[in-house]
Amino acid sequence: MLPWRVSRWAMQLSLQVACPPGALVAGKSGAGARSPSMLVPWPPSLRGSSSLPTGAPEVALTAERYPVQRLPFSEVTEEDLAAFEHMLPGRVITDPEVLAAVNVDWLRSVRGCSRVLLRPRTTEEVSRILRHCHQRNLAVSPQGGNTGMVGGSVPVFDEIILSTALMNRILSFHDVSGTLVCQAGCVLEQLGRHVEERGFIMPLDLGAKGSCHIGGNVATNAGGLRFLRYGSLRGTVLGLEVVLADGSVLSGLSSLRKDNTGYDLKQLFIGSEGTLGVVTAVSIACVPRPQAVNVAFLGLMPGHAGCPGFQEVLQTFRFCKAQLGEILSAFEFLDAECMQLVGRHLGLSCPVRGSPFYVLVETAGSSVAHDSEKLTAFLEQALSSGLLTDGTVATEQRRVQALWALRERITEALSRDGYVYKYDLSLPLEQLYHLVPDLRARLGPRARHVVGYGHLGDGNLHLNVTAEAYSAELCAALEPYVYEWTAARRGSVSAEHGLGFRKKDVIGYSKPPAALELMRQLKGLLDPKGILNPYKTLPTRA
């Protein structure tokens, strides 16, 4: 433990992280920062290196790895290809090399065998595509940035891939209300730059912001790093334009904050994962850009033997909310094993050492002096109360990003550690981490690492288990145990990642049969032939 004087927090408003040049921010940012051996870099805005070596083994076909049967959809014919080419001249892709990439998720856990990739530019083109597919009974897999965690954005069999990548126009921005209207294929990071130049920020921030599309964010109801401050997309999305399965267009790009006329239909499509309609445009409320942003990366004092240090994490969060109040914008936690993996696989150096847990606290407000004073007072009191061992604070943007990289790049570090079993859970705060030591004892040497990190302010645990390779025995030890453990504590088996293909059959641990039946009725009403993203979100009927 490093002894700190009271004045240290006020003086050390900078980051001192020892790392190789370029280790924290490398390569190009944005959607173009793709590496040859991985489909979607993670997070693209923070790195330019691959998380898998060139020549990684081919991913097994989903239809071979999982017990799933193809539904009686039609197969694409030469006549269909000719019809699509007439609709989208030069944008009907059948090149096997291109298709090989879009058939696999970035985690390399699922792989379809689609033979057609369609790249529309407008809502009208999407409407024509779906009208044709509905008439022909052709299944469609909508795809945005393909950064999802649950296999929801790639085909299971030979579904047509409908990419929104070319639907990337910003349609309007109102600099008084902060309302942004854009097409669904706009990359989140590029939208962020656009509104920041006009004094606003996006209410959503993700590690995958350099590749993920706003339409995909909406379709999965993505949570992310600003949820604590600005809430979910269910509150910030003002309107949507959606193409239904039969090609009809539901145009609801409202910019109104208040509209209490009838059912709020946009909520049906937020979080529906492309199973009810294809989002083609979004109206979203942005928030004024903070004038002062501070990030503190802190080491927590070891605690009692049962769950060392996590009680201190909870106490720090409680104290943080009370002291920082309205300027608190993020409170993230990670355990020591996460930090070790980030150092081992990515070469990043932790500015604080020897703690069982680390927390990242971000404040965002309108006054540099006011916010710095509040943060300094909080840190001094937390240190003197015995909650913290050490820490560092950053205010300059590059160093703020470097501290955030320690949290955002955990997923990348895990992907380099071997096969990863991922769980995205909502749990009561007091029990948020207890599953991690439980699983370490349960799995023993069968697992390389069992780690926990996530959004403490949202009650969201990212539980990850790594192993040398996929093992049916290890999977059986994890599932359904993890889901039963979560359900027994009235948690959710998917906090923010959605269900996609890989988690669809566990929805019953979080939703009652009556809710599932109503969901099926809605699916049948909006997509009677079931052509939109089949095999996803809803469980397979017995």
Side-chain angles (χ1 to χ4, degrees), residues 44-64:
S45 57
L46 293 176
R47 66 176 173 85
S49 59
S50 168
S51 70
L52 286 171
T54 302
E58 186 175 57
V59 180
L61 285 169
T62 302
E64 295 175 356

Side-chain angles (χ1 to χ4, degrees), residues 117 164 206 282 320 393 456 462 466 477 480:
L117 167 66
T164 59
L206 302 170
V282 179
C320 188
V393 179
L456 188 80
H462 294 312
T466 67

Side-chain angles (χ1 to χ4, degrees), residues 187-369:
V187 174
L188 180 60
E189 186 174 55
Q190 294 172 355
L191 292 178
R193 292 196 190 107
H194 182 84
V195 300
E196 283 170 19
E197 291 170 358
R198 292 154 179 80
F200 287 80
I201 62 171
M202 296 295 290
L204 174 71
D205 187 27
L206 302 170
K209 56 182 169 282
S211 284
C212 66
H213 296 183
I214 189 65
N217 299 152
V218 170
T220 57
N221 190 26
L225 305 169
R226 291 176 178 161
F227 191 101
L228 176 64
R229 179 68 172 269
Y230 302 115
S232 80
L233 288 173
R234 294 196 181 279
T236 54
V237 170
L238 302 177
L240 295 175
E241 184 175 71
V242 182
V243 181
L244 303 182
D246 64 357
S248 58
V249 179
L250 180 63
S251 184
L253 285 178
S254 172
S255 60
L256 300 176
R257 299 284 182 135
K258 301 176 75 173
D259 180 5
N260 204 16
T261 54
Y263 303 124
D264 190 1
L265 295 178
K266 69 178 181 290
Q267 299 296 344
L268 285 176
F269 303 99
I270 299 174
S272 67
E273 303 186 74
T275 63
L276 301 181
V278 177
V279 175
T280 55
V282 179
S283 173
I284 189 167
C286 300
V287 294
R289 184 177 63 195
Q291 300 303 305
V293 175
N294 300 294
V295 171
F297 193 86
L298 313 171
L300 277 293
M301 190 71 73
H304 60 82
C307 200
F310 193 69
Q311 191 59 39
E312 283 66 32
V313 175
L314 295 177
Q315 291 176 12
T316 302
F317 179 53
R318 186 184 305 114
F319 190 46
C320 188
K321 287 197 298 180
Q323 294 291 310
L324 299 179
E326 79 286 352
I327 66 170
L328 178 63
S329 58
F331 192 101
E332 303 286 309
F333 86 98
L334 56 148
D335 62 21
E337 286 199 30
C338 286
M339 198 67 256
Q340 291 165 10
L341 291 173
V342 166
R344 179 182 308 160
H345 295 299
L346 305 180
L348 305 190
S349 201
C350 182
V352 184
R353 299 183 183 276
S355 293
F357 291 95
Y358 302 91
V359 298
L360 185 149
V361 178
E362 182 183 78
T363 65
S366 59
S367 170
V368 173

Side-chain angles (χ1 to χ4, degrees), residues 375-397:
L375 180 59
T376 299
F378 156 69
L379 294 172
E380 290 172 351
Q381 293 180 45
L383 182 66
S384 62
S385 67
L387 292 173
L388 308 180
T389 61
D390 204 344
T392 189
V393 179
T395 58
E396 191 268 324
Q397 185 178 12

Side-chain angles (χ1 to χ4, degrees), residues 329-517:
S329 58
F331 192 101
E332 303 286 309
F333 86 98
L334 56 148
D335 62 21
E337 286 199 30
C338 286
M339 198 67 256
Q340 291 165 10
L341 291 173
V342 166
R344 179 182 308 160
H345 295 299
L346 305 180
L348 305 190
S349 201
C350 182
V352 184
R353 299 183 183 276
S355 293
F357 291 95
Y358 302 91
V359 298
L360 185 149
V361 178
E362 182 183 78
T363 65
S366 59
S367 170
V368 173
H370 170 267
D371 294 1
S372 296
E373 182 180 354
K374 291 191 75 168
L375 180 59
T376 299
F378 156 69
L379 294 172
E380 290 172 351
Q381 293 180 45
L383 182 66
S384 62
S385 67
L387 292 173
L388 308 180
T389 61
D390 204 344
T392 189
V393 179
T395 58
E396 191 268 324
Q397 185 178 12
R398 183 183 62 84
R399 292 171 175 173
V400 165
Q401 290 175 342
L403 277 184
W404 266 112
L406 297 173
R407 161 62 182 87
E408 288 184 318
R409 296 184 70 183
I410 294 171
T411 298
E412 181 189 356
L414 287 163
S415 72
R416 296 190 181 201
D417 199 55
Y419 186 88
V420 189
Y421 301 83
K422 288 184 169 294
Y423 302 94
D424 165 47
L425 310 171
S426 278
L427 289 161
L429 280 181
E430 63 275 8
Q431 301 179 68
L432 187 64
Y433 190 77
H434 290 178
L435 182 55
V436 178
D438 183 313
L439 281 180
R440 286 173 180 161
R442 177 179 174 86
L443 301 178
R446 289 179 290 180
R448 275 184 177 171
H449 294 282
V450 179
V451 305
Y453 65 98
H455 317 295
L456 188 80
D458 315 334
N460 183 182
L461 171 70
H462 294 312
L463 169 70
N464 288 255
V465 178
T466 67
E468 183 175 353
Y470 174 79
S471 162
E473 178 191 0
L474 183 54
C475 188
L478 286 164
E479 301 173 15
Y481 181 79
V482 168
Y483 305 125
E484 291 172 345
W485 196 99
T486 301
R489 289 150 183 83
R490 302 180 68 83
S492 171
V493 297
S494 180
E496 62 179 4
H497 292 166
L499 296 166
F501 172 76
R502 297 178 65 194
K503 305 293 184 183
K504 64 186 175 66
D505 289 322
V506 301
I507 188 175
Y509 289 100
S510 297
K511 291 291 186 287
L516 290 178
E517 185 55 34

